[in-house]
Amino acid sequence: MSPAQVHLLFELLAYALGFQLFLHQRRRYPSTAALGRSAHLALLAGAILGAALGARLSWWLQDPQLAFADFPNAMNLMRGKSILGGLLGGVAGVELAKARIGLRESTGDAFVWPILLALAVGRIGCHLAGVSDHTAGLPTAAPFAFDYGDGVPRHPTALYEIAFLLACGGVIALLAPRLRERGDRFRLLMFGYCAWRLYVESLKPAPLLYPPGLSGLQWLAIAGLLYYLRSIPRIARHLLEARP
């Protein structure tokens, strides 16, 4: 199999496993389980459309010179995508769908474990795809560097992310009993993931087109951090109050 085929295989596997886990998880959360069929479809449509649009827009933001090189060739515009953009776009799509159907309660907690699983499986595909996936890190002399076949030891950023996702899941599981409000698990996941992407993007060979020497995805991560930052003081206060 070619690197592109390997990556596609793991991407499809990530979607399938994540969706099956979501079907199981949504029954555990009253605000999600009690929704009718039409509401579920509206939220699902919002998540899918928002994620698809966000993934593409973030690619255009990250490398507009490459994305628009053959404009108006639509195929080139659709060539790349970003997980971070897909996540934030999915959040925006769900929020718009909730506003449309008049739903105010948070539904995010049911997505926490499916997202963590899907991201981890997908990153296995990124790692196996090598440099062709454009997610391999910068050259490094670190002892844990990985040669993706081009003879250059690089940061294995996909493996770093898998380790981060495992650690993030462990922290959320540990804190979950002390979280008071619905949606706080999801808010912690998104805040943590945006912080992680802000850091790990500095280890990748990305065009630094925006001040002060940041990539488009780093600015997108900052936007996500600012959006979820409003909830962090409240969550921290609740965690401190719930300490035994």
Side-chain angles (χ1 to χ4, degrees):
M1 296 179 68
S2 69
Q5 290 172 327
V6 170
H7 185 268
L8 178 61
L9 174 63
F10 275 90
E11 186 175 343
L12 294 175
L13 182 62
Y15 291 145
L17 292 175
F19 182 67
Q20 289 301 314
L21 184 55
F22 168 71
L23 293 179
H24 175 267
Q25 284 288 299
R26 68 178 182 177
R27 294 192 291 267
R28 298 183 55 195
Y29 299 97
S31 59
T32 305
L35 296 177
R37 179 179 177 82
S38 60
H40 272 299
L41 291 176
L43 294 179
L44 184 61
I48 292 174
L49 293 175
L53 183 59
R56 300 305 175 188
L57 289 176
S58 59
W59 149 247
W60 303 348
L61 177 70
Q62 174 76 346
D63 197 343
Q65 295 175 334
L66 181 59
F68 291 91
D70 296 326
F71 186 81
N73 184 351
M75 293 300 296
N76 195 52
L77 289 174
M78 301 298 290
R79 188 171 68 175
K81 58 184 181 294
S82 162
I83 289 175
L84 178 62
L87 279 177
L88 293 176
V91 169
V94 168
E95 291 302 320
L96 288 174
K98 286 167 61 176
R100 177 80 175 179
I101 63 178
L103 179 65
R104 296 184 178 181
E105 293 183 339
S106 175
T107 57
D109 285 344
F111 290 92
V112 170
W113 300 115
I115 287 175
L116 287 169
L117 175 62
L119 289 179
V121 173
R123 285 309 186 192
I124 296 174
C126 292
H127 178 70
L128 296 177
V131 293
S132 64
D133 186 59
H134 303 292
T135 57
L138 291 166
T140 178
F144 42 78
F146 193 88
D147 183 353
Y148 286 94
D150 61 350
V152 180
R154 298 178 180 275
H155 284 288
T157 51
L159 298 184
Y160 294 170
E161 183 152 322
I162 292 173
F164 165 79
L165 294 168
L166 292 174
C168 183
V171 170
I172 292 175
L174 183 65
L175 297 179
R178 293 155 56 188
L179 296 174
R180 298 181 184 178
E181 293 192 14
R182 293 173 182 170
D184 279 350
R185 295 172 179 84
F186 183 76
R187 296 181 186 103
L188 284 178
L189 167 62
M190 291 300 296
F191 185 82
Y193 189 70
C194 287
W196 163 252
R197 289 300 297 268
L198 177 61
Y199 164 71
V200 79
E201 290 302 315
S202 67
L203 302 180
K204 298 179 182 179
L208 306 178
L209 303 178
Y210 307 96
L214 299 177
S215 70
L217 288 182
Q218 285 179 304
W219 270 111
L220 190 62
I222 290 173
L225 284 171
L226 292 175
Y227 179 78
Y228 286 102
L229 182 61
R230 57 184 179 174
S231 300
I232 298 304
R234 175 187 55 76
I235 293 174
R237 184 171 63 255
H238 289 174
L239 289 173
L240 290 173
E241 291 172 354
R243 290 181 62 181

